[in-house]
Amino acid sequence: MFAAMVSAGFPSPPMNHIDLPGPFSIAFYSLAILLGIALAVVVATRLWKSRGGDGDDILSAALWAVVFGIIGARIYHVISSPDAYFGEGGDLLRTVQIWQGGLSIIGAVAAGSVAVWIFCRRNGIKFGAFADAIVPGVILAQAIGRWGNWFNQELYGGPTTLPWGLQIDTDQPHQALPPGASEFTTFHPTFLYESLWNLLGFIALVWLYKRFQFKQGLLAWTYVAYYMMGRFWIESMRRDEPDKSTQFPLEFIGLDWRLNQIVAFVVFLIAIAALIWLFSRRPRTDEALAEELEIHTPASEQRNPVAGHKVDQDALKGTPETDPSGSDSETGRGQFRSKK
């Protein structure tokens, strides 16, 4: 079925919501986001428990992160795409109509990260350890949530003749084709490209988390760098909202970058700097390695070494010849293997 759909191109969705009795409806955009959040909680819970954490921590943190994330996602979108709300012919009421689309992943992750940091501070949990456990679920949620953009027919790229080109239905509300396009024009489904990119990232992050014990925070910043790298090139393909006032703010210096490309590039550089800094602070003694396995802060009432730490401690004492990760107490490599 999927092969047949690709060979015929991506059609526009037959509908973007389900009508309920009365004036109510459920948008598929919202369902995609909710499904992504649910799976992210499941994945993060399993990973966090595998390091000795309490599974309830994930659900509690998710309640904070979802509320902050939705608010941050909408604020970033409205700021970066103000014309539909504050420009000529704009509708201010649309600022709260999130079911029509307009939730920025960048804003969601930024605000959600602040919420998770607050949660960790209040509960005596090391933020780096907690972030490492949740980022695989986050990027999986992003992979699923991107399909909401298909239902809303948004975030597409330039025209293409490729067999998987996306068709646009201009009869849907607030939908218009870019200048020069016709009803027969198909476009790059950049939502699909980003979804696949995120899915590959999810597989890689889960493998790294289960295979190795990194310096706390390294996996989280790896996610940031990976996602922003993909977001940059995908943004370069997008051609929706070509007349948006914030679309190409660097044209005056000859740099044809969209606003989100600039943000992605800057955050990518920050992530690389953070990775270098964390690697330079990698544990170099047995005591530091043992502390790196502890997921709670020293002042936390929950701070109790789990049984698995003794096994991992033994693994950390191997020499480069016997330890595949090449970690020992003298060289202090930036990562060490979790013993199975």
Side-chain angles (χ1 to χ4, degrees):
M1 180 178 178
F2 179 78
M5 182 176 67
V6 170
S7 63
F10 267 100
S12 58
M15 61 179 68
N16 61 8
H17 67 279
I18 301 174
D19 290 321
L20 299 177
F24 305 104
S25 65
I26 300 178
F28 287 123
Y29 180 87
S30 301
L31 291 178
I33 293 175
L34 291 175
L35 176 60
I37 291 173
L39 290 180
V41 170
V42 172
V43 170
T45 298
R46 295 189 63 177
L47 294 180
W48 183 237
K49 290 173 68 175
S50 73
R51 294 283 167 87
D54 186 344
D56 291 339
D57 291 338
I58 298 297
L59 184 58
S60 299
L63 297 176
W64 286 65
V66 169
V67 174
F68 273 63
I70 291 176
I71 295 174
R74 191 60 175 178
I75 290 176
Y76 182 93
H77 168 75
V78 171
I79 292 175
S80 61
S81 303
D83 303 330
Y85 313 102
F86 308 107
E88 183 178 354
D91 183 359
L92 188 60
L93 292 178
R94 287 187 61 196
T95 57
V96 297
Q97 296 174 359
I98 60 175
W99 55 88
Q100 293 185 1
L103 292 177
S104 167
I105 295 296
I106 296 175
V109 172
S113 297
V114 173
V116 171
W117 179 81
I118 294 173
F119 172 82
C120 289
R121 290 275 295 180
R122 290 168 59 94
N123 291 275
I125 297 173
K126 290 183 178 179
F127 177 67
F130 199 69
D132 286 346
I134 65 176
V135 291
V138 170
I139 201 169
L140 175 62
Q142 292 173 243
I144 296 171
R146 273 301 174 208
W147 284 87
N149 300 131
W150 176 60
F151 287 106
N152 280 356
Q153 297 190 92
E154 57 189 1
L155 308 191
Y156 50 84
T160 181
T161 57
L162 292 171
W164 54 82
L166 178 66
Q167 302 173 15
I168 300 297
D169 181 5
T170 57
D171 292 335
Q172 288 196 19
H174 311 296
Q175 190 58 252
L177 294 174
S182 72
E183 60 180 317
F184 303 106
T185 305
T186 57
F187 304 86
H188 280 287
T190 50
F191 79 91
L192 174 63
Y193 301 159
E194 185 170 336
S195 180
L196 294 175
W197 177 265
N198 291 341
L199 185 59
L200 290 174
F202 163 71
I203 295 172
L205 289 174
V206 169
W207 181 82
L208 288 171
Y209 189 90
K210 291 184 174 182
R211 182 76 174 176
F212 299 100
Q213 170 72 59
F214 290 90
K215 167 71 177 174
Q216 291 178 0
L218 267 173
L219 197 70
W221 281 108
T222 298
Y223 150 75
V224 174
Y226 175 85
Y227 175 71
M228 289 302 171
M229 181 170 57
R231 185 63 183 265
F232 181 87
W233 72 264
I234 290 170
E235 283 287 340
S236 69
M237 300 179 66
R238 284 177 53 184
R239 290 296 180 268
D240 54 310
E241 301 181 290
D243 298 323
K244 187 169 67 173
S245 60
T246 59
Q247 199 70 292
F248 302 104
L250 295 184
E251 282 187 332
F252 68 96
I253 60 173
L255 200 57
D256 190 18
W257 286 6
R258 298 161 62 96
L259 176 62
N260 284 342
Q261 283 182 275
I262 299 171
V263 173
F265 180 73
V266 171
V267 176
F268 173 78
L269 293 180
I270 293 173
I272 294 299
L275 288 171
I276 294 173
W277 183 77
L278 285 172
F279 185 79
S280 70
R281 294 171 60 86
R282 62 194 183 277
R284 299 175 183 274
T285 65
D286 287 344
E287 292 75 15
L289 291 172
E291 178 62 28
E292 204 63 36
L293 291 170
E294 180 56 62
I295 61 176
H296 295 100
T297 60
S300 173
E301 296 179 357
Q302 305 178 66
R303 188 181 175 91
N304 288 306
V306 298
H309 282 191
K310 177 63 171 63
V311 176
D312 286 329
Q313 275 288 95
D314 293 339
L316 301 182
K317 295 179 181 179
T319 64
E321 288 75 21
T322 59
D323 185 351
S325 69
S327 173
D328 60 29
S329 59
E330 294 181 359
T331 58
R333 301 291 185 185
Q335 64 209 36
F336 43 94
R337 191 172 178 182
S338 295
K339 184 149 184 173
K340 301 296 182 184

